[in-house]
Amino acid sequence: TLIMGFMLMSNEITTRNHIYDLKENTVIVQGKIYKIENTAFGKNIYLKGVEVENGEKNVSVKRIFVNTEKIPNVKIGNIIKVRGKLRQFEEAANKGNFDSRKYYLSLGFYGKIEAGTIEIINSNYSGIRQGLYELRMEIIERLEKLSIINNKNGIIGAIILGDKTDLDSDIKELYSVSGIAHILAISGLHISFIGMAIYRLLRRRFRFLFSAAVSIPVVLSFGIMSGFGISTIRAIIMFILKIMGEVLGRKYDAITAISLAGLVLLVQNPFVVCNSGFQMSFGAIIAIVLILPIVEEILNTDNKIIKVLSANFTISLVMNPILAWNYYELPTFSFLLNIVVVPLMSVVIVSSIVGIFCSCIMFGFGKIVIFPGCGILELYTFLCNIINKSSVASI
């Protein structure tokens, strides 16, 4: 594993340096579209298996993204050729500022292309991925009409689909300062609710194998539709191992599952260890799996209130150094706030998903079903505003 890691990192550093050495001139890139993302300024088109040509030399990279203000008629799976300007990501001017280069490095991107012209080389496309992308856009459109309390569609879109296009920047900042920004990321909570709910429901009537054969593709489809973020990949791998363990009659080992998820992400991109989302996702699950049982053994109590408090305390104990390292501040009351926020998230997720589904049958009924979720989000905003009035809301 050590030798493999060394070789992967060496190869990745070489590729990265090739891109960093290229001048910000017009380049031609060719690759296969694997994701399309809407932004406030147009679209980001993500390519894999990319060849970059700048007139002097060709460089092969795993992935790159193309930013375009136009709305090109492309589909996921198309092979396209783009002529545009290569842009290098900026490094932080001062310590503590946002470092674009480090952030995108942690996602596996060493530069971006500002598109001039886009040409489709191969029009073959992935029916499943394109269908899921179109479903995602349909859901986002429905949310704009369904959210009836202070335009909560942006928050629900971020929570359910990982789409932050319509997320109000003030809300994002408020949640971040209050220490509940984690609810805006697709996490194990989402995967558990969607995957395990389907699996347990099917198990009432069907065998292990059939239940797994239905629930795993559903979870994978949800992952693709939500953009396959770092925490999503980690949660899906752990979910699949848990289900396959039940199918094969084997005991599920959480440490093995966490380790495998980490290795999969590191093989894809060794620089992912620099990503705050990676650190927090694995930090939280390690706190629950490894440290919480020790804390519970020390406390040795059946009191549910103490158990909830100890769980929040344990997660905060692991997460606070990560937050301090990455964001240079600590939310003082996040420990108390998350006692209310985390349990109610299940209502927000269920209300939102069922509300979207019901709106396909009867739109007015969908509005009624999604109302509790919107109401809880309003409560979150209210609580965050109260906390942030304090002069010691963050350190």
Side-chain angles (χ1 to χ4, degrees):
T1 305
L2 184 64
I3 294 169
M4 183 183 75
F6 176 78
M7 291 172 67
L8 282 168
M9 180 59 91
S10 298
N11 183 61
E12 208 66 32
I13 288 171
T14 303
T15 305
R16 179 200 66 181
N17 291 342
H18 281 324
I19 295 294
Y20 284 177
D21 289 342
L22 293 177
K23 295 178 182 178
E24 289 192 331
N25 293 328
T26 299
V27 296
I28 297 171
V29 299
Q30 183 172 313
K32 188 175 185 177
I33 301 173
Y34 70 90
K35 186 169 81 168
I36 300 172
E37 182 180 70
N38 285 7
T39 70
F41 308 103
K43 284 185 184 288
N44 283 339
I45 301 170
Y46 294 83
L47 305 178
K48 63 181 180 179
V50 182
E51 290 291 328
V52 182
E53 181 187 338
N54 75 334
E56 297 175 6
K57 60 179 179 180
N58 293 355
V59 179
S60 298
V61 291
K62 287 182 185 176
R63 61 188 79 83
I64 204 164
F65 74 86
V66 177
N67 180 251
T68 174
E69 292 181 7
K70 301 173 185 177
I71 310 297
N73 187 25
V74 294
K75 294 182 178 180
I76 297 172
N78 287 168
I79 295 174
I80 62 171
K81 182 184 282 188
V82 181
R83 182 184 290 273
K85 283 200 171 183
L86 172 68
R87 296 295 186 194
Q88 303 284 5
F89 298 116
E90 294 181 4
E91 294 181 88
N94 297 299
K95 189 174 178 63
N97 285 5
F98 178 67
D99 193 326
S100 292
R101 176 167 284 199
K102 181 184 174 184
Y103 171 71
Y104 283 106
L105 179 72
S106 74
L107 296 177
F109 297 102
Y110 311 133
K112 69 175 180 177
I113 309 297
E114 289 183 356
T117 61
I118 297 175
E119 177 188 352
I120 299 174
I121 303 299
N122 188 327
S123 59
N124 291 337
Y125 67 94
S126 168
I128 294 173
R129 282 181 171 267
Q130 182 62 26
L132 289 170
Y133 169 72
E134 289 172 5
L135 176 61
R136 173 190 174 98
M137 299 312 297
E138 169 67 22
I139 291 171
I140 290 168
E141 210 171 289
R142 281 185 176 274
L143 281 173
E144 289 178 4
K145 300 171 185 175
L146 280 173
S147 184
I148 52 178
I149 302 181
N150 292 343
N151 300 316
K152 295 297 181 219
N153 60 296
I155 308 175
I156 294 173
I159 291 170
I160 301 300
L161 298 170
D163 180 82
K164 296 181 174 65
T165 310
D166 296 323
L167 181 63
D168 190 287
S169 58
D170 291 337
I171 288 290
K172 189 177 179 181
E173 177 67 21
L174 181 67
Y175 280 16
S176 180
V177 171
S178 305
I180 64 166
H182 59 87
I183 70 170
L184 300 174
I186 307 295
S187 64
L189 185 64
H190 301 68
I191 304 305
S192 297
F193 263 96
I194 296 167
M196 292 308 294
I198 294 169
Y199 180 73
R200 298 299 180 205
L201 192 64
L202 290 170
R203 276 293 298 123
R204 293 180 179 181
R205 294 287 303 274
F206 303 101
R207 293 180 180 273
F208 285 110
L209 188 60
F210 178 81
S211 303
V214 174
S215 58
I216 290 174
V218 169
V219 166
L220 286 170
S221 298
F222 174 75
I224 293 168
M225 192 167 65
S226 62
F228 258 144
I230 291 167
S231 58
T232 310
I233 294 171
R234 192 268 306 157
I236 287 175
I237 290 171
M238 293 184 70
F239 169 79
I240 291 172
L241 286 178
K242 184 175 179 62
I243 297 302
M244 290 309 296
E246 290 198 15
V247 171
L248 298 172
R250 301 290 294 273
K251 185 181 177 183
Y252 171 71
D253 181 61
I255 303 302
T256 301
I258 293 167
S259 303
L260 179 62
L263 281 172
V264 169
L265 286 162
L266 287 165
V267 167
Q268 288 182 335
N269 171 28
F271 293 112
V272 75
V273 290
C274 302
N275 188 280
S276 60
F278 176 90
Q279 295 166 15
M280 287 191 283
S281 180
F282 280 86
I285 197 69
I286 287 168
I288 293 166
V289 171
L290 282 178
I291 303 172
L292 183 57
I294 298 169
V295 174
E296 288 180 340
E297 190 177 337
I298 293 168
L299 294 173
N300 192 24
T301 179
D302 293 325
N303 188 301
K304 289 185 178 180
I305 295 173
I306 294 175
K307 280 192 170 186
V308 170
L309 289 171
S310 64
N312 276 278
F313 172 77
T314 304
I315 294 169
S316 296
L317 195 69
V318 175
M319 296 292 276
N320 281 348
I322 298 171
L323 290 168
W325 175 261
N326 286 285
Y327 303 111
Y328 304 94
E329 67 177 0
L330 287 174
T332 314
F333 300 107
S334 63
F335 167 69
L336 295 172
L337 190 57
N338 277 296
I339 293 172
V340 178
V341 168
V342 174
L344 290 176
M345 272 302 294
S346 57
V347 181
V348 175
I349 293 170
V350 172
S351 170
S352 302
I353 292 173
V354 177
I356 291 164
F357 178 76
C358 290
S359 72
C360 298
I361 302 166
M362 188 183 295
F363 203 83
F365 186 46
K367 278 195 169 190
I368 295 169
V369 175
I370 207 170
F371 181 83
C374 293
I376 289 169
L377 292 175
E378 188 70 11
L379 173 65
Y380 290 173
T381 304
F382 173 73
L383 292 174
C384 288
N385 280 325
I386 289 176
I387 285 171
N388 280 283
K389 285 178 181 177
S390 167
S391 59
V392 290
S394 65
I395 301 169

